[in-house]
Amino acid sequence: MTDQLPPPGDTSAVAFDLTFLRERAVECRLTDEDLTALTGIPTADWDSHLTPHTLPAASLFTLARALNTSAESLLRQPAPNRRPAPAAADHATVLHAALLEADRIHPDDLASALQWTPHRLKRAATTLAAHLEQPSSPHRLVHTDTAIHLTCVADLLDPKQRQNLHHAGHTAASLAPGEAAALTCLLHHTVRGLTPDLPAEHVPRLANRRLLASSGEQPAPHPDVLFALGLAAHPLTDAQAAADGFASVPAADPPPPRPR
């Protein structure tokens, strides 16, 4: 223990093993209030404030006794030039990864998927939100009673860059009404055995979003889309399925002529 911070690049500095510390707290049935009283630091601030330099040696030994372990076991020696294993990631990092996978989700659903308690999710969200507030981070955390998701800092992209990504189909935005109508019409033509009809300006965006097949002279729905809609017996399993024009699609009889 020392009152001096290590010089930059010094890999001999130790840090608290927060994952082990929190696991021991659960096993010893210590609440967040108990841990705050023992360390003098709110548990929501541990990731950024609980260090061997902010916790006096006497408090460290008191905390170790409360957790029924040794003071040394609460500290870890960081390995130089080595990324932490996924299993050692803190809760805020796990939450960040989950939100990159899930996009917008209800907090209760996310807590259930991560096998966390609502309190743990709230604590991780508080830590992550503070971390993302750094000027170098392009993300911000939105956390309400009904949704939790990541959003991007406004104005990082100029309007032209954003428009180019949208038109190329590389954004997560919903389909525009015209694109949705064009895709629905294409599905109708495919099922009815009619000639595909799709405006050329919609092809790149729909193809990049894997809604159209990547091969074939005529635009056609991606076979996985047909399978998801119950219009194909199997999802795409090989390149031949796309080249054959999705022979598994049940072609209906031509529509009857309209009465004059």
Side-chain angles (χ1 to χ4, degrees), residues 186-187 190-191 196 211-216 218-227 231-251:
L186 177 62
L187 287 168
T190 301
V191 172
L211 296 174
L212 297 184
S214 58
S215 61
Q218 295 291 338
H222 194 284
D224 290 345
V225 173
L226 297 173
F227 176 73
L231 301 176
H234 304 285
L236 180 64
T237 55
D238 52 51
Q240 189 62 38
D244 290 344
F246 320 126
S248 58
V249 178

Side-chain angles (χ1 to χ4, degrees), residues 86-98:
D90 58 48
H91 294 148
T93 301
V94 172
L95 174 61
H96 198 173

Side-chain angles (χ1 to χ4, degrees), residues 95-105 110 113 148-149:
L95 174 61
H96 198 173
L99 291 175
L100 290 174
E101 290 280 348
D103 196 29
R104 184 185 297 265
I105 186 173
L110 181 56
I148 180 170
H149 63 97

Side-chain angles (χ1 to χ4, degrees), residues 20 24 28 30 62-70 73:
F20 174 73
R24 289 297 304 160
C28 295
L30 294 178
T62 300
L63 179 63
R65 286 194 295 272
L67 296 174
N68 195 26
T69 187
S70 65
S73 67

Side-chain angles (χ1 to χ4, degrees), residues 188-203:
H188 172 76
H189 281 69
T190 301
V191 172
R192 303 290 287 180
L194 304 176
T195 302
D197 183 15
L198 184 68
E201 64 269 18
H202 294 327
V203 172

Side-chain angles (χ1 to χ4, degrees), residues 120-159:
R120 177 180 291 185
L121 177 65
K122 182 177 180 180
R123 184 171 58 190
T126 299
T127 303
L128 178 59
H131 176 73
L132 295 180
E133 286 295 328
Q134 300 176 16
S136 60
S137 172
H139 286 153
R140 293 295 182 267
L141 181 68
V142 178
H143 185 196
T144 68
D145 292 338
T146 58
I148 180 170
H149 63 97
L150 296 174
T151 187
C152 184
V153 176
D155 301 327
L156 289 182
L157 300 177
D158 62 46

